[in-house]
Amino acid sequence: MDEREPVVLARLDDLDEATVVARAQDGNLDAFEYLVEAYQGRLFRLAFRMLHDRGDAEDVVQDTLVACWRKLPLLIDVQAFSGWLYRMATNRCLDSLRRRSSHAEVVQEPATLQITAEASTEPGVVGDPAREAEISCEMDGLATALLALPPEQRACWLLREIHERSYAEIAATLKVSEQTVRGRLARARAQLTGKMSQWQ
């Protein structure tokens, strides 16, 4: 079976995402595993930046993927899979934040925040300790600044700036108007710009 797996993945690589999603809807486990591989890292980065807790982020990703498998046959438009999946993950993040007390959030230790830095390392930086230290401090600063944003603004900023979702997709995810999304993004950008000015 291990010998066949790369062949299956190669065949799925040749298909567009909508076709893979349709196969997964029909119960094809290889197709679903392909989607999991494609999205679990992205969903974890979103959840970690929203929640700043590795365990909670892993729980959100697992819950999202389990719900995806169960509800996938109900998805009418296979072209909308990506937005649908991000919507489930984002809503689970917001639910998790609502369950926390307003004083429960704390900035994680630098070792945890390094996940963010590793995802943003610039080409050519490896081997330059001064630049690596600067980027690490900048990522710690961004993580702290993101944590200070209200959850809805944080979600808007992450979905737009990091995950490149459209205004319409973000509006559908958060169940608000596109105008509300633009307003939240403007406020989030202004606050982050102020807090990150020392690195500009």
Side-chain angles (χ1 to χ4, degrees):
M1 178 146 181
D2 291 338
E3 292 175 3
R4 285 188 319 127
E5 192 171 315
V7 176
V8 171
L9 291 179
R11 271 189 280 129
L12 290 172
D13 274 335
D14 293 337
L15 303 175
D16 60 65
E17 183 174 274
T19 304
V20 177
V21 171
R23 288 191 178 186
Q25 281 185 313
D26 290 336
N28 184 311
L29 285 174
D30 288 325
F32 184 69
E33 287 175 12
Y34 181 87
L35 294 171
V36 168
E37 284 295 317
Y39 280 96
Q40 66 182 354
R42 291 181 242 176
L43 295 179
F44 177 78
R45 286 189 291 277
L46 170 66
F48 181 78
R49 288 179 174 125
M50 280 293 295
L51 304 173
H52 291 273
D53 182 281
R54 177 187 282 274
D56 287 350
E58 289 171 348
D59 288 345
V60 161
V61 173
Q62 182 176 355
D63 290 349
T64 300
L65 293 174
V66 168
C68 174
W69 175 248
R70 289 179 180 158
K71 297 179 180 180
L72 193 55
L74 305 176
L75 180 65
I76 296 169
D77 181 6
V78 291
Q79 301 283 351
F81 174 77
S82 182
W84 177 72
L85 192 60
Y86 271 103
R87 182 163 51 253
M88 285 197 291
T90 302
N91 288 333
R92 279 166 173 74
C93 288
L94 292 172
D95 288 343
S96 179
L97 289 173
R98 286 185 198 109
R99 285 192 296 268
R100 293 180 182 178
S101 73
S102 59
H103 303 292
E105 292 188 65
V106 294
V107 177
Q108 299 296 306
E109 66 277 5
T112 304
L113 293 172
Q114 189 61 28
I115 293 170
T116 306
E118 286 168 2
S120 305
T121 300
E122 298 173 2
V125 166
V126 178
D128 181 352
R131 185 66 183 129
E132 286 178 7
E134 183 182 341
I135 288 174
S136 180
C137 286
E138 186 175 345
M139 291 300 103
D140 287 356
L142 176 59
T144 302
L146 278 172
L147 193 60
L149 293 176
E152 291 79 10
Q153 286 183 26
R154 193 184 318 164
C156 282
W157 189 88
L158 288 168
L159 288 169
R160 180 65 182 167
E161 303 296 342
I162 304 299
H163 297 276
E164 301 178 340
R165 312 315 295 177
S166 70
Y167 292 109
E169 287 174 320
I170 298 169
T173 295
L174 300 177
K175 297 182 175 70
V176 296
S177 68
E178 287 188 46
Q179 184 176 356
T180 299
V181 169
R182 291 176 189 277
R184 287 178 181 174
L185 273 172
R187 290 190 292 277
R189 286 168 177 159
Q191 188 168 333
L192 290 174
T193 298
K195 291 183 179 294
M196 299 297 290
S197 58
Q198 62 180 304
W199 285 287
Q200 293 175 351

